[in-house]
Amino acid sequence: ETTGAQPLAEVTRALRKRSIVAPHARFPAVAPGRARIRIVMTCQHDREQIDYLLDFFLDENNKDRGYLVRAHAPRAIVKLLEDLRGTEVYEQKKADIVKALGPYVKKQGKGEKELRQSASLAFGQLGDLDDSGPDQKIREGLMDASNDTELQVKNFSVIALGQVGGQPGTGDDPVAGEKDVRDFLLKTLSRGKTQQKPWAGLAIGVMERGLLDENRQQSAGALTALRD
């Protein structure tokens, strides 16, 4: 709820910037100095926004939707999904997003490099370490994409995997993928190509810090590898 004399146009622009309202949305006119807006975010609204942005991202044949613009969609999609966390539709929408972005997050993935870079970074924000189907696909996709021929896709996929590795999930084993992610990053650090090793080191640091923030045990071996 926003009160006061803040111009409605400014509020509208701010909300659009955060993908909270659709580009065509309009607020009713009110007397100056008496602006009072009540915004109710609903699951239905967030689902519609996510579906719209997924369609936007996947729309390869619309000349008015260039790939450089479409590349901004994955991050917005993931941010919108966060608003659904804890609701009954969260896991289903997460699965839908992973299915849609998955072809862009693998070695020699689909689309222009900017789309693949963006999708990999979104997977880093979206995934965690539990053994749910979508999260397993996220981790597998990022590991595969780290072998892409395009350098920045490789690097972004590695750092995104570090983000996932520092995020425990839910269920019976919230850190089911921890060992696999850490082993992969350590292998990349020790045996990867020269240009990729610094990114692997950063990813290990991100992972271990994330686990510490979640009150999880850090890996002494990984920390030693960073010092060496």
Side-chain angles (χ1 to χ4, degrees), residues 117 120-121 123-125 142 146 152-166 181 184-185 188 196 198-207:
Q117 292 166 9
S120 287
L121 289 173
F123 266 19
Q125 297 176 284
L142 289 172
S146 71
Q152 209 56 43
V153 171
K154 292 161 63 83
N155 293 338
F156 284 168
S157 297
V158 168
I159 200 70
L161 189 62
Q163 290 179 290
V164 173
V181 171
F184 182 89
L185 293 176
T188 304
Q196 200 172 19
W199 290 84
L202 286 171
I204 292 169
V206 168
M207 176 178 179

Side-chain angles (χ1 to χ4, degrees), residues 54-127:
L54 281 175
D55 288 341
F56 185 93
F57 179 77
L58 297 173
D59 190 357
E60 302 174 346
N61 300 318
N62 189 334
K63 64 180 181 180
D64 294 325
R65 295 179 175 180
Y67 67 87
L68 291 177
V69 179
R70 289 163 51 218
H72 289 276
R75 182 175 183 276
I77 291 168
V78 174
K79 294 291 286 183
L80 283 168
L81 183 68
E82 280 300 307
D83 292 331
L84 296 178
R85 189 179 289 276
T87 70
E88 60 184 17
V89 299
Y90 175 81
E91 292 298 334
Q92 180 56 56
K93 295 312 297 182
K94 180 174 178 176
D96 292 343
I97 294 168
V98 172
K99 182 178 180 180
L101 300 186
Y104 297 83
V105 187
K106 62 180 181 179
K107 184 178 180 180
Q108 302 304 311
K110 182 179 181 181
E112 290 83 0
K113 63 183 180 181
E114 291 83 0
L115 297 176
R116 291 181 281 134
Q117 292 166 9
S118 178
S120 287
L121 289 173
F123 266 19
Q125 297 176 284
L126 183 63

Side-chain angles (χ1 to χ4, degrees), residues 39-49 83-84 87:
I39 300 166
V40 180
M41 300 253 335
T42 64
C43 291
Q44 179 65 30
H45 175 75
D46 287 329
R47 290 201 303 269
E48 289 173 355
Q49 290 279 25
D83 292 331
L84 296 178
T87 70

